[in-house]
């Protein structure tokens, strides 16, 4: 099972990062988006990130060589000869099922399908295709070019060789893969999501201000980012969608969206990506807490 060509669905925060690390590792990559404007935005982020790595002498090849392996597309036929497809579109089960089901007839039969979902059942999405045995989760972490981990998710239907090929693929990207099974949230989000939601509840209850809670967790626990900085970084829209899936699965309050998260999403304040969330990023180098 040789992987040479990688297809990526979605060129947002995660898809652009997955495409970048795949091209950096030597794979030919095609990224599918809904519209050229999303490809332009994602590729601009890739260019910035590659330039940063080059500046630090961390790229083995010239930027242009890596960049030449990356192609954008807006029609799914461009993915027909990919050996693995990694999906990173919106965290919505119906959208993911619809997308994979349509791709199933276009992409060669022995290609591996993978989802980068944060919370949705891989088994459920896999069942929308005729290749549930060739379907895994490949859960990367934001920002993909810097974070070392990838969770490799097996369902009860995943073929053993396919799972090992996905694991080796993760390694070939320079990531550290961990094996996990198709339980909602896998390893990291099962632990991380309740922590981030609890930080919002603590703020709602007046335990501390947004910067004080952030600083407390950074300086008290050595976390690289406080929970509100991290929430804005992940995307409040994505976090809100994750709470729906996780609460539906476990019916436990710790996975439910706090009212404030819902309000921010309703207001269109998705965090860094929209310039406003728990912080205001009018000056991105000096975010100020939003008046909440
Ligand atoms: N590409 C290349 N370089 C980048 C980059 C990128 N995408 N992002 C940042 N950098 C560079 C910066 O330019 C900076 O370079 P200089 O040293 O030359 O200035 C360097 O990396 C360090 O960055 P910063 O100074 O901005 O900040 P930092 O030291 O805090 O590191 C970080 C940044 C690695 C993101 C760190 O803050 C961190 O690890 N944060 C936590 C991230 C995290 O928890 N991610 C998981 C989210 S949850 C998830 O992903 C799962 C899910 O399903 C929701
Ligand atoms: P995002 O909103 O930044 O990007 C999603 C992209 O998918 C958008 O550019 C959108 O135009 C595109 N898209 C939507 N439907 C599409 C379709 N049918 N075909 C092609 N492109 C389509 O979101 P994101 O943060 O990159 O999240 C993507 C996935 O990765 C989600 O499942 C999310 O849960 C997961 N994830 C997110 C993070 C994170 O920190 N943000 C971390 C790990 C996993």
């Amino acid at each position: 099972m040789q992987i040479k060509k990688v297809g990526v669905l979605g060129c947002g925060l995660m898809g652009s990062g997955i495409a970048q690390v795949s091209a950096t590792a030597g794979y030919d990559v095609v990224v599918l988006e809904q519209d050229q404007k999303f490809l332009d935005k994602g590729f601009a982020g890739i260019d910035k990130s590659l330039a940063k790595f080059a500046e630090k002498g961390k790229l083995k090849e010239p930027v242009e060589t890596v960049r030449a392996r990356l192609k954008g597309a807006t029609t799914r036929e461009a993915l027909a000869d990919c050996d693995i497809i990694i999906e990173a579109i919106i965290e919505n089960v119906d959208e993911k099922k619809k997308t994979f089901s349509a791709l199933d007839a276009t992409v060669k039969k022995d290609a591996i399908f993978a989802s980068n979902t944060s919370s949705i059942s891989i088994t459920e999405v896999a069942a929308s295709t005729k290749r549930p045995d060739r379907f895994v989760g490949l859960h990367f972490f934001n920002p993909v070019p810097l974070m070392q981990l990838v969770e490799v998710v097996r369902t009860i239907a995943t073929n053993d060789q396919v799972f090992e090929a996905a694991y080796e693929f993760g390694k070939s990207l320079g990531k550290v893969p961990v094996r996990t099974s198709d339980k909602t949230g896998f390893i990291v989000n099962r632990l991380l999501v309740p922590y981030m939601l609890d930080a919002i509840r603590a703020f709602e209850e007046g335990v501390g201000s947004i910067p004080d809670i952030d600083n407390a967790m950074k300086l008290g626990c050595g976390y690289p980012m406080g929970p509100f900085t991290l929430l804005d970084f992940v995307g409040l829209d994505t976090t809100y969608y994750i709470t729906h899936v996780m609460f539906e699965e476990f019916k436990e309050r710790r996975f439910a969206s706090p009212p404030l998260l819902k309000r921010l999403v309703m207001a269109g304040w998705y965090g860094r990506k929209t310039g406003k969330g728990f912080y205001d990023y009018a000056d991105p180098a000096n975010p100020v807490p939003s008046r909440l």
Side-chain angles (χ1 to χ4, degrees), residues 184-201:
T184 302
F186 317 126
I187 299 171
V188 172
N189 283 342
R190 188 182 183 122
L191 303 175
L192 179 67
V193 171
Y195 155 72
M196 293 196 294
L197 300 179
D198 237 355
I200 305 174
R201 287 189 194 99

Side-chain angles (χ1 to χ4, degrees), residues 14 20 48-50 52-53 55-56 116-118 139-143 145-147 188-189 192 196 224-225 230 233-234 238 242:
M14 297 304 289
Q20 180 185 325
K48 209 171 141 196
S49 177
L50 285 176
K52 195 83 201 167
F53 282 116
E55 185 190 309
K56 292 183 177 167
N116 179 57
T117 179
S118 302
H139 186 216
F140 293 85
F141 291 81
N142 181 21
L146 297 185
M147 302 304 281
V188 172
N189 283 342
L192 179 67
M196 293 196 294
M225 285 176 170
L230 184 57
F233 189 65
V234 165
T238 301
I242 293 172

